[in-house]
Amino acid sequence: MPDAAAAPAVFPEESPPAVRVRGLAKTYRGSKNFPPSQALKGIDLDIPKGSVFGLLGPNGAGKSTLINILAGLVNKTAGTASIWGIDIDRHPRRSRAAIGVVPQELNIDAFFTPRELLNFQAGLFGVPERERITDELLAAVQLTDKAENYSRTLSGGMRRRLMVAKAMVHKPPVLVLDEPTAGVDVELRQQLWSQIRALNRSGTTVLLTTHYLAEAQELCDRIAFIDHGEVIACDTTGALLERVDRKEVTFLLGESLSELPAGLAHYSAELIPPRRLVIRYRPSRTRFRDLINDVRENGLTIVDLSTHESDLEDLFLQLTAAPADAGADSSEAQDSPSPPPAVAGR
């Protein structure tokens, strides 16, 4: 496991991505009472080496199916996939050795100690005893003092950290974290974030799924949104946030108002009597300086202001909104941009 101060890994630009999928599809067979279900619909996706890559989407979007195909737990229906340049069909054992998966569920034998668990897992991957890094992993997840305790005596947070160590016993270059902070407290979440960053700095490519969009925004340098088995957007985190193109500013005014000044009617504005004015606008169309001038030119005194930036939650809601949600009135549409076009792959 890496030291937190390790320098970022550097990969040649011409090197293949850590994970590449092309036309990946999965259809689950139906039954007498249930029709066939198409979980993945021809996904194309590249995950660059050395990245922290977020895979986001609503429940049932296809995230778990994609992960399970990469891990060799589910057979794909069509398409190709490779991990660290290793085709999962041609070299299944090698490709599985190139990936470590931390599932959302805690699957730890209650009567194993952490040391026994890690050594047993290493044995399953054929890691010779002299090459095992059990002590290093226990230290990295801060469980050295619990190494000989039964796993059933560990707290939930300790078990979660042990799961990360378990996935790293064979030193995989790609680590998948499926909802790693689900149900954990704030302190443990910060600890896990720190470990994820340290792993990434050492060269491990991290694929993260999470329903905490603020977590993805904090950790991931690239993000793909998946919905109904299709990639509907994929880009750098910064570029995705720019697509939302929406900002909100709240003014505390020096005057008490009972109605909105006519000169501000062209904005999407809301008056919160007696002295608060909220204006929502598109930074790509309106400069903040011009907005301030418009407020002042309407005879209003700005005592204080606060701003709210758009985040991944805004984009998530845009991209996954039901078609019925598109029937907003024209005043909302003016300051609420339509969903951006889907971009798959890089």
Side-chain angles (χ1 to χ4, degrees), residues 267-321:
Y267 287 109
S268 175
E270 176 186 1
L271 181 62
I272 305 176
R275 297 171 54 207
R276 292 191 182 275
L277 174 66
V278 180
I279 295 181
R280 301 171 186 89
Y281 69 101
R282 294 186 180 186
S284 65
R285 296 186 179 182
T286 303
R287 293 185 301 177
F288 184 68
R289 179 178 60 187
D290 295 337
L291 174 62
I292 296 293
N293 290 337
D294 283 349
V295 171
R296 288 173 172 165
E297 288 175 2
N298 278 270
L300 302 179
T301 304
I302 300 173
V303 176
D304 197 5
L305 63 84
S306 61
T307 61
H308 172 72
E309 300 281 353
S310 298
D311 54 24
L312 283 180
E313 183 173 349
D314 297 314
L315 182 60
F316 178 85
L317 293 174
Q318 276 189 17
L319 293 172
T320 60

Side-chain angles (χ1 to χ4, degrees), residues 97-305:
I99 191 171
V101 180
V102 182
Q104 182 176 350
E105 299 78 16
L106 295 173
N107 55 2
I108 297 175
D109 192 306
F111 295 95
F112 273 36
T113 68
R115 184 181 301 281
E116 290 171 340
L117 179 69
L118 297 186
N119 283 329
F120 178 75
Q121 186 75 2
L124 292 178
F125 277 96
V127 181
E129 288 191 24
R130 65 181 181 277
E131 297 179 12
R132 295 178 186 176
I133 55 173
T134 301
D135 289 333
E136 184 180 349
L137 289 170
L138 289 169
V141 297
Q142 302 173 24
L143 289 177
T144 300
D145 60 336
K146 304 291 183 181
E148 310 304 334
N149 295 10
Y150 284 127
S151 296
R152 69 174 184 269
T153 67
L154 302 180
S155 68
M158 292 177 182
R159 295 181 192 183
R160 184 71 64 179
R161 299 202 303 270
L162 182 57
M163 290 287 292
V164 176
K166 180 183 174 184
M168 295 297 295
V169 294
H170 56 299
K171 303 179 184 178
V174 178
L175 179 66
V176 177
L177 299 169
D178 189 6
E179 299 285 345
T181 59
V184 305
D185 59 37
V186 175
E187 182 178 1
L188 176 57
R189 182 174 291 122
Q190 293 291 336
Q191 292 175 5
L192 289 171
W193 286 11
S194 178
Q195 290 176 0
I196 291 170
R197 291 189 181 100
L199 283 165
N200 180 246
R201 284 195 295 269
S202 74
T204 302
T205 301
V206 178
L207 173 58
L208 172 71
T209 75
T210 179
H211 282 99
Y212 298 110
L213 300 187
E215 179 172 77
Q217 187 169 328
E218 174 75 19
L219 292 174
C220 300
D221 42 60
R222 295 186 69 88
I223 290 173
F225 285 92
I226 182 172
D227 192 24
H228 295 98
E230 297 178 291
V231 175
I232 55 176
C234 182
D235 213 327
T236 64
T237 304
L240 288 171
L241 289 172
E242 288 178 0
R243 294 189 190 187
V244 183
D245 192 24
R246 184 169 55 198
K247 194 170 183 177
E248 179 180 291
V249 57
T250 300
F251 296 97
L252 175 62
L253 304 174
E255 302 81 15
S256 296
L257 299 179
S258 58
E259 60 181 10
L260 187 70
L264 298 177
H266 62 286
Y267 287 109
S268 175
E270 176 186 1
L271 181 62
I272 305 176
R275 297 171 54 207
R276 292 191 182 275
L277 174 66
V278 180
I279 295 181
R280 301 171 186 89
Y281 69 101
R282 294 186 180 186
S284 65
R285 296 186 179 182
T286 303
R287 293 185 301 177
F288 184 68
R289 179 178 60 187
D290 295 337
L291 174 62
I292 296 293
N293 290 337
D294 283 349
V295 171
R296 288 173 172 165
E297 288 175 2
N298 278 270
L300 302 179
T301 304
I302 300 173
V303 176
D304 197 5
L305 63 84

